């Protein structure tokens, strides 16, 4: 060991010469043998001036630099003494030496330390004494590896290792036996020529619980970004081995730290380093919060029980999904009790007990599985996953119907086929297919009850080795088995035969039923060739593998038409409402064409498309009526631009300002076909799809073409604020008023007058302020004299009415999710407006006393930070009108219904379980208050009438009634025409079931 100390200094350091050179092998090596060092060192024997007190020459160890690895590479980390008491360490209680056992040596790190293993073996022996040979045998028995294979290469022979650790082990004089020292002192192996007994003195460590203000037994182990506590005795592990002490640092024992440095990590640290450290800590906390949120927050979908009803074997929503399902972000480390408490706070209207159950959407509807119990358990422990559906109810019934929960009663949606025999002389029998829902734990025989059949035979669909569909008859004794035991799943098919049916209709052979649908059935073909024929509709026998061309030829023969039609005709399915669908290729079979038995086909003029061609419908504009589309046949490899050119030529249009859009299932214009060079096949355009010719060029990718409208205000006299007469506006703008059904309650014209200014093409990454600035460059807007974009309020336009309020000027347009066809309306302001996220903009109108009319609208900004309560809104309106709150009545106007809904101060309710006052929420049902809603105000001091309606409301309701009568008559006419298209005099009309609301969440279909 080399020394480098300076007497008189407060600190000093010692460097252990761990790296050496082998002159025989001519290579460097690291010395891994044992070199002990003290925690306290006395340097008085080394000093020339030694007349001072011994404590002046005493130094304490406070840091150890440790090297891990070999002489050609490795890793450094450091032990540092907690001098300023900065740590708050909590150490687990240690076991006494008598409790040490090899069973505790479970980690590889502990087994790799031979000192710990040998001590554990000796502690199990009587008097801690054993022969060296037996020690090697017990080592092999305990760890499964001999000393020579495990430790010899690094630590040398066993006897040499025991000799080097004489402070722990005591060898006999002949080195045949070894024992443990009862109180082994920690001595330093001296490499000095002087007497080391006066140089090194180990300072005994005090117990962890002792409170010593001048010393601290706690140490840090700083290893890159990892900092962990260690104890003084852990320093002994660095005496030897590949990971051992490399440099030691000592400081004077009498050196005292200032009191202000105790437990103060910022003591005498430069300000610039403190600022840098604070910034790094803030960034670290932010990243930890983001990481914690990303890894521990889960999304839960809360299904509200009062918004559901039990129908057809499963739970179904009564209203839209946005009203019956609430999304909740929750920390999965919290308990179920915390989730229940948060749900109570979220659902302020809830009364009575609350039970949370795990739900799952199945084909039949929503089903409840596990009821969550154990409020002390965390969501991780009860295995709640991200995106889990949680049903909130009272645990007993929903809508007055008791609900069965669990996987055993999971509802199954089955396709039930029932053979209905017709009158004698018919060529085929009608097979009806209908969906039915059954609990999976119900008996199979309940199918007869559902179909009102006293008895019969049930056949289950199965797949035969030939690939065809076969049917297996269920034995009568198996009818008492459950659907689950029979192996039925969602979508399985059952065929039910009535016991009174003709036995020849079903031919059971060895428990297999040969499906007569696959052998013989019939299709109905109607003559639509506009040629005279003896019959207008015929039945053609066919099988599932019959080719469409064969059916077409048979129909021509049955109709006794000209043979020339065999080369210039096609079959087109006819829908229930009498609409002709796309032709079926002649090469298709009935199975490939997906035609059901008993389908109605129309024999039409014109060739059917081949398998590589597409039959498309197309129309001009987005507002089309069914049946007005044009037809075209193109190759599936044609590009979008070529298809657009063909459609323009056929419709007699010209110009290059057109684009194509695909009609969605709602019969509305969907997404545009932006890739002009892509083929129809690549865009997944199929036969029967409808394309729309829309005027206007598509903006480049990443840009939006936004129509800009102007919200034209009115004065009380009914005149426009900016122009005397907007009905004769300039060509650049046009006035658009809403339909009468969207009327406003004021004294002016119905609807909201919107003036069209022009289109703005802007990038979707631009902000709302950029859109306003670009809109101000339109020539039509310059006439209104808006001073700056800050004096403009932006709304979305939905059905010629104001929609959502766009309030954040710095937010990007794509974050607003304006859709494929965005439209923005600008409203002028008298002063700059800064709406917060909790502010709601309402239109207030004061009722004129003695008249059924209202005054001009006034904007009201209502801060909902303290809640969406009726009392808060009433107080805000009273302050606006300078009236006592008890002397006003307010109501929300629903223009689509021409109705007013009074907003009264509800009586506060008391829940049975929480004993907490319940407040009303105007954001939910039945008000659904939002930006732009109209609030009528009545002054009770001069007007005590309870009616809020106006004369225009009476006219609007009368018009609605007339339109409803007209729609009813139109439906009756359509029903008569449909019955003429599908004549069935022998079959009475089936009674219609009660109507139920249906809510479908529609995404983006491609």
């Amino acid at each position: 060991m080399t020394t480098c100390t300076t007497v008189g200094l407060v600190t000093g350091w010692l460097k252990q010469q761990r790296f050496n050179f082998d002159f025989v092998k001519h290579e460097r090596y690291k010395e891994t043998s044992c070199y002990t060092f003290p925690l306290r060192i006395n340097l008085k024997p080394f000093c020339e001036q030694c007349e001072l007190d011994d404590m002046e020459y005493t130094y304490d160890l406070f840091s150890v630099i440790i090297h891990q690895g070999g002489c050609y590479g490795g890793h450094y980390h450091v032990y540092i003494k907690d001098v300023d008491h900065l740590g708050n360490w909590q150490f687990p209680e240690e076991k006494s030496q008598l409790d040490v056992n090899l069973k505790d040596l479970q980690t590889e790190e502990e087994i790799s330390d031979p000192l710990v293993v040998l001590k554990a073996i000796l502690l199990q022996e009587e008097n801690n004494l054993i022969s060296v040979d037996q020690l090697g045998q017990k080592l092999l028995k305990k760890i499964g590896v001999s000393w020579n294979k495990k430790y010899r290469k690094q630590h040398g022979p066993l006897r040499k290792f025991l000799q080097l650790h004489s402070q722990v082990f005591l060898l006999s004089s002949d080195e045949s036996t070894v024992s443990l020292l009862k109180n082994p002192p920690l001595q330093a192996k001296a490499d000095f020529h002087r007497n080391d007994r006066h140089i090194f003195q180990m300072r005994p460590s005090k117990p962890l619980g002792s409170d010593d203000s001048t010393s601290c037994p706690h140490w840090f182990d700083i290893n890159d970004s990892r900092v962990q506590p260690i104890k003084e005795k852990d320093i002994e592990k660095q005496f030897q081995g590949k990971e051992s002490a490399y440099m030691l640092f000592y400081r004077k024992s009498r050196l005292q730290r200032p009191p202000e440095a105790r437990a103060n990590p910022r003591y005498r640290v430069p300000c610039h380093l403190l600022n840098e450290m604070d910034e790094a800590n803030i960034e670290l906390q932010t990243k930890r919060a983001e990481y914690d949120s990303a890894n521990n927050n889960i999304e839960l979908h809360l299904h509200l029980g009062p918004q559901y009803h039990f129908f057809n074997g499963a739970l179904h929503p009564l209203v839209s999904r946005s009203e019956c399902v609430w999304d909740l972000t929750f920390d999965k480390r919290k308990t179920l009790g915390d989730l229940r408490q948060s749900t109570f706070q979220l659902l302020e209207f809830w009364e009575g007990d609350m039970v949370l159950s795990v739900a799952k959407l199945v084909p039949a509807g929503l089903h409840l599985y596990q009821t969550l119990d154990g409020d002390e358990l965390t969501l991780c422990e009860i295995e709640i996953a991200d995106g889990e559906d949680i049903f909130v109810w009272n645990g007993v019934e929903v809508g007055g119907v008791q609900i069965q929960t669990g996987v055993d009663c999971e509802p199954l949606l089955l396709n039930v086929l029932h053979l209905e025999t017709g009158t004698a002389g018919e060529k085929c029998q009608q097979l009806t297919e209908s969906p039915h829902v059954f609990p999976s734990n119900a008996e199979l025989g309940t199918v007869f009850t559902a179909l009102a059949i006293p008895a019969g035979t049930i056949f289950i669909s199965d797949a035969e080795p030939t690939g065809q569909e076969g049917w297996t008859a269920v034995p009568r004794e198996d009818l008492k088995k459950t659907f689950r035991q029979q192996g039925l799943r969602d979508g399985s098919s059952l065929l039910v035969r009535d016991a009174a049916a003709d036995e020849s209709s079903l031919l059971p052979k060895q428990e297999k039923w040969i499906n007569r649908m696959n052998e013989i059935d019939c299709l109905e073909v109607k003559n639509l060739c506009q040629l005279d024929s003896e019959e207008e509709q015929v039945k053609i026998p066919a099988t599932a593998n019959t080719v469409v061309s064969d059916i077409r030829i048979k129909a021509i023969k049955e109709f006794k038409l000209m043979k020339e039609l065999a080369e210039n005709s096609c079959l087109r399915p006819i829908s229930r409402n009498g609409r002709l669908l796309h032709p079926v290729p002649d090469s298709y079979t009935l199975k490939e064409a997906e035609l059901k038995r008993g389908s109605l086909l129309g024999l039409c003029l014109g060739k059917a498309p081949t398998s590589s061609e597409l039959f498309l419908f197309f129309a001009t504009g987005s507002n089309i009526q069914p049946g007005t589309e044009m037809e075209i046949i193109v190759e599936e490899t044609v590009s979008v631009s070529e298809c657009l050119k063909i459609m323009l030529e056929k419709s007699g249009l010209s110009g290059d300002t057109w684009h194509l859009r695909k009609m969605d299932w709602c019969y509305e214009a969907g997404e545009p076909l932006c890739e002009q060079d892509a083929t129809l096949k690549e865009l997944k355009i199929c036969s029967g799809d409808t394309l729309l010719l829309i005027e206007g060029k598509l903006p480049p990718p990443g840009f939006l073409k936004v129509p800009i409208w102007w919200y034209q205000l009115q004065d009380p006299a009914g005149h426009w604020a900016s122009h005397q007469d907007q009905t004769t506006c300039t060509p650049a703008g046009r006035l658009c008023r809403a339909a009468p059904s969207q009327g406003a309650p004021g004294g002016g014209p119905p609807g909201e007058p919107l003036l069209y200014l022009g289109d703005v093409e802007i990038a979707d990454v631009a902000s709302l302020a950029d859109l306003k600035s670009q809109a101000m460059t339109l020539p039509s807007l310059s006439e209104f004299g808006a001073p700056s974009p800050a004096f403009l309020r932006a709304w979305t336009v939905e059905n010629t009415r104001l929609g959502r309020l766009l309030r954040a000027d710095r937010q990007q347009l794509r974050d607003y999710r304006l859709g494929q066809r965005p439209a923005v309306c600008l409203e002028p302001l008298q002063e700059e407006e800064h709406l917060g996220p909790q502010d709601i903009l309402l239109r207030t109108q004061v009722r004129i006393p003695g008249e059924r009319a209202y005054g001009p609208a006034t904007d009201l900004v209502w801060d909902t930070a303290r809640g969406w309560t009726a009392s808060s809104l009433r107080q805000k309106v009273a302050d606006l009108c300078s009236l006592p709150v008890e002397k006003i009545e307010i109501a929300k106007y629903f223009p689509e219904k021409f109705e007013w809904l009074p907003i009264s101060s509800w009586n506060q309710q008391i829940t049975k379980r929480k004993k907490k006052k319940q407040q009303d929420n105007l954001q939910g049902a039945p008000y659904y208050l939002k930006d732009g809603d109209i609030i009528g105000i009545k002054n009770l001091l001069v007007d005590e009438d309870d009616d809020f309606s106006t004369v225009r409301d009476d006219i609007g309701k009368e018009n609605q009634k007339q339109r409803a009568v007209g729609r009813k008559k139109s439906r009756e006419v359509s029903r008569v025409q449909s019955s003429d298209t599908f004549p069935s005099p022998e079959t009475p009309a089936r009674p219609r079931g009660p109507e139920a609301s249906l809510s479908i969440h529609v995404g983006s279909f491609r």
Side-chain angles (χ1 to χ4, degrees):
M1 177 183 292
T2 62
T3 64
C4 180
T5 58
T6 302
V7 179
L9 296 179
V10 294
T11 60
W13 57 273
L14 298 172
K15 179 180 179 183
Q16 295 188 0
Q17 193 66 29
R18 285 286 183 183
F19 302 104
N20 210 336
F21 188 81
D22 190 341
F23 289 94
V24 177
K25 298 182 179 180
H26 298 284
E27 63 180 13
R28 298 180 64 194
Y29 68 94
K30 179 179 179 180
E31 185 65 55
T32 59
S33 56
C34 181
Y35 289 94
T36 60
F37 51 86
L39 299 179
R40 174 170 291 183
I41 184 173
N42 187 359
L43 297 181
K44 186 174 183 179
F46 297 93
C47 300
E48 297 177 356
Q49 300 176 1
C50 56
E51 60 274 2
L52 299 178
D53 185 26
D54 288 349
M55 293 302 297
E56 294 293 335
Y57 304 96
T58 304
Y59 288 78
D60 290 334
L61 181 69
F62 76 95
S63 181
V64 181
I65 295 180
I66 301 162
H67 180 265
Q68 180 182 6
C71 60
Y72 295 102
H75 175 70
Y76 288 96
H77 63 104
V78 63
Y79 289 173
I80 297 180
K81 190 175 183 180
D82 191 3
V83 179
D84 289 334
H85 298 267
L86 301 177
N88 184 18
W89 312 119
Q90 298 291 335
F91 292 98
E93 296 183 1
E94 294 184 345
K95 297 181 180 180
S96 62
Q97 283 190 345
L98 297 177
D99 296 333
V100 177
N101 195 297
L102 279 179
K103 295 181 180 179
D104 301 328
L105 306 177
Q106 298 178 355
T107 64
E108 184 67 25
E109 182 180 357
E110 293 173 334
I111 296 178
S112 62
D113 190 354
L115 187 64
V116 178
V117 178
L118 294 177
K119 286 173 63 177
I121 295 175
L122 287 172
L123 285 171
Q124 292 181 337
E125 299 299 323
E126 187 177 2
N127 298 326
N128 299 337
L129 179 65
I130 193 176
S131 65
V132 178
D133 296 335
Q134 290 181 351
L135 180 62
Q137 295 174 3
K138 293 206 174 220
L139 176 68
L140 174 62
K141 182 178 179 181
K142 294 296 182 181
I143 66 175
V145 185
S146 65
W147 173 273
N148 291 338
K149 290 185 178 180
K150 182 72 176 176
Y151 306 111
R152 183 182 178 90
K153 185 176 181 180
Q154 181 178 354
H155 301 283
L158 177 59
R159 281 185 171 83
K160 184 179 179 180
F161 180 84
L162 297 175
Q163 292 173 358
L164 292 175
H165 293 79
S166 57
Q167 73 276 12
V168 179
F169 306 104
L170 178 61
L171 281 171
S172 61
S173 56
D174 57 351
E175 298 183 353
S176 61
T177 60
V178 62
S179 62
L180 279 176
L181 292 178
K182 294 184 178 180
N183 295 311
L186 187 60
Q187 292 182 343
K189 181 177 180 181
D191 287 335
F192 303 103
H193 296 288
R194 302 190 177 208
N195 191 351
D196 59 350
R197 295 181 182 176
H198 300 285
I199 298 176
F200 301 124
Q201 298 177 359
M202 293 300 299
R203 176 173 60 86
S205 299
K206 294 187 178 182
L208 294 175
S210 62
D211 185 12
D212 189 357
S213 61
T214 61
S215 64
C216 180
H218 295 163
W219 288 68
F220 297 95
D221 178 12
I222 302 178
N223 193 344
D224 290 340
S225 61
R226 181 183 180 186
V227 179
Q228 61 181 356
I230 62 170
K231 300 180 181 179
E232 282 184 347
K233 66 178 182 179
D234 294 332
I235 302 176
E236 301 177 12
K237 300 178 182 179
Q238 310 304 328
F239 286 170
Q240 63 181 351
K242 289 187 177 181
E243 182 181 4
S244 53
Y246 177 73
M247 189 175 292
L248 313 173
F249 291 85
Y250 290 84
R251 64 194 297 272
K252 260 192 175 182
S253 300
R254 286 191 172 182
L255 180 63
Q256 297 294 329
R257 298 283 289 162
E260 57 271 17
R262 185 180 179 91
N264 183 12
R266 308 172 71 90
Y267 176 70
R268 297 190 67 177
V269 180
C271 293
H272 70 280
L273 292 181
L274 288 175
N275 295 335
E276 183 178 353
M277 178 182 65
D278 292 339
E279 293 176 359
N281 286 335
I282 293 175
E283 182 180 0
L284 179 61
Q285 292 176 359
T286 303
K287 291 182 178 180
R288 284 178 176 174
E290 294 176 354
Y291 177 83
D292 182 75
S293 176
N295 286 271
N296 296 304
N297 285 357
I298 58 176
E299 293 290 336
L300 300 178
H301 307 302
L302 302 181
H303 298 257
L304 309 184
Q307 304 293 340
Y308 277 80
H309 71 130
F310 189 80
F311 173 73
N312 199 17
L315 293 170
H316 298 273
L318 289 169
V319 291
S320 64
R321 175 180 171 83
S322 59
E323 299 177 26
C324 63
V325 180
W326 289 23
D327 296 332
L328 174 65
T329 303
F330 202 74
D331 192 339
K332 63 182 180 181
R333 296 170 297 180
K334 291 186 178 181
T335 63
L336 179 60
D338 297 333
L339 175 60
R340 201 184 306 274
Q341 182 67 23
S342 299
T343 308
F344 261 117
Q345 296 175 358
L346 184 63
L347 308 178
E348 297 180 350
F349 59 85
W350 191 270
E351 293 185 4
D353 296 336
M354 175 182 290
V355 176
L356 304 181
S357 299
V358 177
K360 181 181 178 183
L361 285 172
V362 295
L366 191 70
H367 181 64
L368 306 185
Y369 289 85
Q370 172 191 0
T371 298
L372 301 179
D373 294 323
D375 286 357
E376 71 283 355
L377 299 177
T378 64
L379 300 190
C380 292
E381 293 174 341
I382 58 180
E383 299 179 351
I384 296 297
D386 188 19
E388 195 84 75
D389 293 299
I390 304 297
F391 193 77
V392 185
W393 61 314
N394 58 9
V396 180
E397 50 84 21
V398 173
V401 179
Q402 290 189 353
I403 306 300
Q404 294 183 348
T405 63
V407 69
D408 293 337
C409 57
E410 183 180 37
L412 297 177
L413 181 62
L414 305 178
N415 296 322
V416 180
L417 295 89
H418 182 226
L419 194 62
E420 295 182 355
T421 57
T423 58
E426 284 190 346
K427 297 182 180 179
C428 64
Q429 297 172 341
Q430 184 67 29
L431 188 70
T432 61
E433 179 179 359
S434 59
H436 287 268
V437 178
F438 300 95
S440 56
N441 59 352
E443 295 182 357
L444 192 59
T446 56
V447 175
F448 297 123
T449 305
L451 297 178
I453 297 176
T457 306
I458 297 178
F459 297 88
I460 298 178
S461 174
D462 57 359
E464 294 185 350
T466 58
Q468 297 181 354
E469 187 180 29
W471 298 84
T472 302
V474 179
R476 191 172 301 276
E477 59 272 12
D478 290 345
L479 293 178
K480 294 186 177 181
K481 291 185 177 181
T482 64
F483 290 90
R484 185 76 69 185
Q485 292 173 344
Q486 291 289 348
L488 295 176
R489 303 182 302 272
D490 285 308
S492 297
S493 297
L494 297 177
L495 189 141
V496 182
R497 185 186 68 178
D498 193 349
D502 184 10
E503 293 293 334
S504 62
S505 61
L506 300 175
L507 304 177
K509 295 182 179 179
Q510 297 179 358
E511 297 298 328
K512 292 291 182 180
W513 179 73
I514 300 176
N515 190 350
R516 289 192 60 185
M517 295 186 304
N518 294 334
E519 291 186 351
I520 183 170
D521 209 330
C522 58
L523 297 175
E524 295 185 3
V525 180
K526 189 174 183 179
N527 180 16
L528 299 178
C529 293
Q530 299 179 354
L531 297 177
D532 294 335
S533 174
E534 295 180 0
E535 297 183 11
E536 293 184 356
Q537 189 167 320
V538 295
K539 293 182 179 180
I540 306 298
T543 66
N545 297 322
T546 302
V547 182
V548 174
S549 60
D550 295 340
I551 299 178
R552 184 169 58 86
I553 299 300
K554 291 180 181 179
I556 293 175
K557 294 179 179 179
E558 291 286 340
F559 287 128
K560 298 180 181 180
L561 298 175
M562 296 181 297
K563 295 183 179 180
E564 289 77 6
L565 288 177
E567 301 296 332
N568 189 28
S569 62
C570 62
L571 291 179
R572 299 179 62 175
I574 302 176
S575 64
R576 284 291 179 182
N577 56 7
R579 181 171 179 259
L580 280 176
L581 305 181
H582 64 91
V584 182
D586 280 349
S587 59
Y588 279 18
T589 63
L590 294 185
K591 185 176 182 181
E592 292 173 342
E594 299 180 355
L595 292 175
K596 295 182 179 180
R597 278 67 187 173
S599 299
L600 179 61
L601 302 176
L603 181 63
C604 304
L605 293 175
K607 290 185 177 182
T610 63
S611 58
S612 62
E613 292 178 333
L614 298 177
F615 183 92
L616 302 177
F617 299 97
F618 72 97
T620 305
S622 58
N623 188 14
I624 63 173
Q625 297 296 328
T628 61
E629 306 95 334
M630 290 176 280
E631 303 168 354
I632 191 174
I633 298 178
V634 294
E635 291 287 338
E636 62 181 5
T637 56
V638 73
S639 64
V640 174
S641 58
E642 295 172 349
C643 182
L644 174 61
K645 185 178 179 181
I646 297 172
M647 291 181 177
L648 288 174
E649 292 177 355
K650 188 166 184 178
S651 57
L653 300 174
S654 61
D656 57 352
T657 60
W658 296 85
H659 67 276
L660 289 177
R661 289 179 181 266
K662 183 179 178 180
M663 180 181 290
D664 58 18
W665 66 278
C666 295
Y667 226 76
E668 297 177 354
E671 296 183 357
L673 305 183
C674 301
E675 303 177 15
Q676 297 295 319
D677 297 331
T679 64
L680 299 181
K681 183 178 181 181
E682 292 173 347
L683 297 179
K684 299 182 180 179
I685 303 296
C686 305
S687 288
D689 287 346
T690 302
L691 301 182
L692 301 179
L693 287 168
I694 306 297
E695 188 174 6
K697 265 188 117 174
L698 288 175
F703 281 77
L704 298 174
K705 188 174 182 180
V706 184
I708 302 299
W709 297 79
W710 182 261
Y711 180 73
Q712 192 66 28
L713 299 177
Q714 282 185 275
D715 59 14
H719 298 103
W720 304 116
S722 299
H723 292 274
Q724 295 297 327
D725 187 8
Q726 288 293 343
T727 58
T728 58
C729 57
T730 61
R734 67 178 184 270
L735 188 64
C736 173
R737 297 181 184 175
S741 61
Q742 303 290 334
E752 295 172 333
L754 302 181
L755 180 65
Y756 175 72
L757 302 178
D759 295 336
V760 169
E761 191 170 299
I762 190 171
D764 58 359
V765 296
S767 64
L768 180 61
D770 298 334
L771 177 63
K772 293 179 181 179
S773 300
Q774 193 165 339
M776 291 184 65
T777 62
L778 295 174
S780 303
L781 186 58
S782 60
E783 303 177 8
F784 298 97
S788 69
F791 288 81
L792 294 176
R793 180 187 294 157
W795 301 79
T796 61
V797 179
E798 301 173 1
N799 298 327
T800 68
R801 288 187 58 85
L802 299 183
R804 288 187 294 130
L805 176 63
L806 309 180
R807 58 181 72 224
D809 283 349
R810 296 184 179 180
Q811 189 170 348
Q812 294 182 351
L813 296 179
R814 64 183 179 185
D815 295 335
Y816 286 109
R817 299 180 180 179
L818 299 178
Q820 295 293 333
R821 304 173 65 186
V824 173
C825 179
L826 300 179
E827 178 185 357
L829 299 174
Q830 298 298 326
E831 58 184 10
E832 294 187 13
E833 183 178 65
H834 302 283
L835 296 178
Q838 301 292 333
D839 293 337
I840 298 299
L841 178 67
L842 302 175
R843 313 278 194 187
T844 59
Q845 292 183 279
V846 180
R847 187 176 177 88
I848 301 175
E851 299 181 14
R852 297 185 64 192
Y854 288 85
T858 305
D859 291 346
L860 171 66
V861 178
W862 176 34
D863 185 6
T864 61
R866 295 185 178 180
W868 290 71
T869 60
S871 58
S872 175
L873 177 59
R874 288 170 56 85
Q875 185 64 50
K876 184 67 177 180
V877 173
D879 296 340
L880 176 68
C881 301
S882 301
L883 292 172
V885 68
E886 65 273 6
K887 295 300 180 181
I888 64 169
E889 286 293 339
I890 60 177
K892 179 193 170 180
Y893 185 62
F894 292 88
E896 66 278 359
K897 299 180 180 179
F898 296 96
E899 293 180 354
W900 295 85
L901 182 60
I903 303 176
S904 60
S905 182
W906 292 353
N907 295 327
Q908 295 177 343
Q909 302 173 354
I910 306 297
T911 62
K912 298 180 180 178
R913 179 171 181 177
K914 302 301 293 182
K915 301 301 181 182
K916 179 182 176 182
K917 290 184 178 181
Q918 192 85 358
Q919 297 288 344
D920 56 306
N921 189 346
L922 300 182
Q923 194 178 15
Y927 297 102
Y928 303 106
L929 208 61
K930 63 183 183 302
D931 290 311
D933 281 347
I934 299 175
I935 301 297
I937 307 173
K938 187 185 297 183
N939 186 357
L940 298 181
L941 296 175
V942 295
D943 189 359
E944 296 182 354
D945 188 8
D946 295 336
D947 186 21
F948 277 89
S949 64
T950 63
V951 176
R952 182 179 304 150
D953 296 334
D954 298 339
I955 298 174
K957 288 182 179 180
E958 184 63 28
N959 293 336
Q960 281 186 342
K961 290 181 180 179
Q962 294 178 1
R963 285 193 295 270
V965 173
R967 287 194 298 266
K968 184 177 180 181
K969 293 181 179 179
S970 177
R971 285 196 301 266
E972 291 177 354
V973 173
S974 299
R975 191 179 299 112
V976 172
Q977 293 177 353
S978 177
S979 62
D980 294 339
T981 306
F982 303 97
S984 54
E986 71 282 356
T987 306
R990 297 181 60 183
R992 294 181 59 184
E995 294 184 357
S997 61
L998 176 64
S999 175
I1000 303 177
H1001 177 72
V1002 181
S1004 177
F1005 290 86
R1006 293 186 181 272

